[in-house]
Amino acid sequence: MIVDVVSIGSTSRPEYLRAQNETWIRQRHDQISVRNFFALTEEHHPMADDTCDATSLLENAAICLEQSNDTAVRRGVLSYGNITNATHAKLWYCAQKRPAIGLGRVVADTYFHPPKTDNAKKEDLPDWLLLVDDDTLFRMDVFHTAVSQLDCDESYVIAGRHIPFDYPYGGWGTALSKGALVRLYQPIHCSTVDALALGNKYHRHVCAMLQINMADELSFFVDGDSLADLMLKIALGQSTAFALSIKGNSSVISAPKRTPFCYHSDWLSGYFFSHYILLGHTIPLFPSCPEPLKCWIPPEILTNEREINAECGQDLDIIACHYQTPEMMRRAVSNVTS
């Protein structure tokens, strides 16, 4: 089983990404191989654009709330109101863009647009792609047990834990099968009746969802975009009007501004994974671990989330742990291998 891992990190704490790479990413398994570790930080996108400015954070949220009728999307926007520290707000707000930038640019380039060098070549899609935070500890052996009975060529998106609205909680990991990645990167054509008639069920569903337009995604869509392209444009604020303005006459003074980024990353990815890739179905939790309740701890029994997760790496049947320090990761992997 070939697995690629995308980890959302920051240059402010590189020791977390380093610890992941030195522990569970590098750990040897007989039946699973981590091929690529995409460690994403601010270096993968500029922080200088106006939508990353903490002083405009609440103004952006107010604009975003006017743009969507979807309850889940609005909940994601409202979460920005909890940020009070300006420095932290800027780092946190920009980090919400990082999964979409990673999937739409860094990962996509690896699979489809490798650098033009003598040794570079396109890579096949992995059997599974994991999307995690930099403080996530993931047990690859337990993951293999959880998904080994699934056909990775089918479209699966599986969460380690749910936030409200059954979207994946990023810190507990989200897995996309090869079939789901095909849908994520497939060009979408909705501009003509012939294109819709020739499309499969998934293609027609995507075009219908674009017309429903719950997250204002139609403002960003250009025929031929993939879902990954669309998520990337939303993260970068590149609406169709903005894209046309920068390609058009440079003498135009009143060019459209970038569209504010409106969403918590969990809501943005959860929305597209559920409503698009899974045809509107709920994203399930990881199936059939040796002891299912240990794969996901229900919220009602979480009395102290951070305290419980501080020791979860000591349990050999837990699939993912959040809020892990580098020391916790090393200790947990040491316990498993000893």
Side-chain angles (χ1 to χ4, degrees), residues 215-252:
D216 196 38
E217 58 266 46
L218 194 58
S219 298
F220 298 85
F221 179 73
V222 173
D223 204 63
D225 280 344
S226 67
L227 291 183
D229 293 330
L230 189 53
M231 292 172 66
L232 176 63
K233 287 182 178 181
I234 292 173
L236 297 179
Q238 295 178 344
S239 65
T240 303
F242 177 81
L244 291 175
S245 75
I246 61 176
K247 291 181 180 179
N249 190 336
S250 59
S251 64
V252 175

Side-chain angles (χ1 to χ4, degrees), residues 126-200:
D127 296 318
W128 291 90
L129 178 75
L130 294 181
L131 187 61
V132 300
D133 287 352
D134 65 352
D135 58 354
T136 301
L137 169 68
F138 212 86
R139 288 288 309 284
M140 302 302 290
D141 53 341
V142 183
F143 173 70
H144 180 269
T145 301
V147 302
S148 59
Q149 301 303 312
L150 303 178
D151 182 356
C152 66
D153 289 321
E154 298 292 331
S155 296
Y156 290 103
V157 181
I158 312 175
R161 182 182 168 189
H162 283 158
I163 52 176
F165 313 107
D166 294 331
Y167 289 176
Y169 195 126
W172 271 269
T174 304
L176 290 86
S177 67
K178 183 186 297 182
L181 293 174
V182 169
R183 289 183 172 182
L184 181 66
Y185 293 110
Q186 173 184 324
I188 303 299
H189 297 280
C190 304
S191 60
T192 67
V193 174
D194 288 342
L196 287 175
L198 293 173
N200 56 24

Side-chain angles (χ1 to χ4, degrees), residues 3 9 33 40 44 56 82 99 115 125 131 149 162 168 182-185 195 197 209 269-271 304 316 319 328:
V3 176
S33 173
L40 302 183
H44 292 94
S56 63
N82 298 326
L125 293 175
L131 187 61
Q149 301 303 312
H162 283 158
V182 169
R183 289 183 172 182
L184 181 66
Y185 293 110
M209 277 301 303
S269 58
Y271 172 72
N304 187 327
L316 300 185
I319 198 168
M328 291 174 184

Side-chain angles (χ1 to χ4, degrees), residues 36-296:
N36 291 308
F37 178 51
F38 300 103
L40 302 183
T41 68
E42 294 86 346
E43 295 177 350
H44 292 94
H45 66 98
M47 291 185 63
D49 68 80
D50 55 0
T51 63
C52 262
D53 186 351
T55 60
S56 63
L57 191 62
L58 295 180
E59 294 179 9
N60 289 347
I63 295 172
C64 295
L65 284 170
E66 297 176 357
Q67 295 180 346
S68 177
N69 295 319
D70 182 60
T71 304
V73 171
R74 290 175 65 84
R75 178 72 177 272
V77 174
L78 286 171
S79 68
Y80 291 157
N82 298 326
I83 301 300
T84 55
N85 179 278
T87 301
H88 177 68
K90 183 172 183 177
L91 293 171
W92 182 87
Y93 184 39
C94 286
Q96 304 313 305
K97 304 180 178 187
R98 214 157 290 150
I101 292 173
L103 293 173
R105 179 177 290 168
V106 182
V107 177
D109 286 350
T110 300
Y111 298 153
F112 306 107
H113 312 292
K116 295 181 179 180
T117 63
D118 294 337
N119 298 324
K121 62 179 181 179
K122 293 192 294 184
E123 293 188 2
D124 294 333
L125 293 175
D127 296 318
W128 291 90
L129 178 75
L130 294 181
L131 187 61
V132 300
D133 287 352
D134 65 352
D135 58 354
T136 301
L137 169 68
F138 212 86
R139 288 288 309 284
M140 302 302 290
D141 53 341
V142 183
F143 173 70
H144 180 269
T145 301
V147 302
S148 59
Q149 301 303 312
L150 303 178
D151 182 356
C152 66
D153 289 321
E154 298 292 331
S155 296
Y156 290 103
V157 181
I158 312 175
R161 182 182 168 189
H162 283 158
I163 52 176
F165 313 107
D166 294 331
Y167 289 176
Y169 195 126
W172 271 269
T174 304
L176 290 86
S177 67
K178 183 186 297 182
L181 293 174
V182 169
R183 289 183 172 182
L184 181 66
Y185 293 110
Q186 173 184 324
I188 303 299
H189 297 280
C190 304
S191 60
T192 67
V193 174
D194 288 342
L196 287 175
L198 293 173
N200 56 24
K201 177 183 178 181
Y202 169 70
H203 194 134
R204 292 192 295 271
H205 171 82
V206 169
C207 294
M209 277 301 303
L210 284 168
Q211 294 305 313
I212 295 173
N213 196 33
M214 286 197 296
D216 196 38
E217 58 266 46
L218 194 58
S219 298
F220 298 85
F221 179 73
V222 173
D223 204 63
D225 280 344
S226 67
L227 291 183
D229 293 330
L230 189 53
M231 292 172 66
L232 176 63
K233 287 182 178 181
I234 292 173
L236 297 179
Q238 295 178 344
S239 65
T240 303
F242 177 81
L244 291 175
S245 75
I246 61 176
K247 291 181 180 179
N249 190 336
S250 59
S251 64
V252 175
I253 298 176
S254 58
K257 295 182 179 179
R258 290 181 183 270
T259 304
F261 180 65
C262 292
Y263 312 114
H264 189 292
S265 59
D266 293 347
W267 270 268
L268 182 67
S269 58
Y271 172 72
F272 279 98
F273 295 166
S274 176
H275 291 271
Y276 281 83
I277 291 178
L278 296 185
L279 306 180
H281 294 288
T282 298
I283 296 172
L285 299 172
F286 288 114
S288 61
C289 287
E291 295 182 46
L293 283 180
K294 293 182 179 178
C295 300
W296 175 67

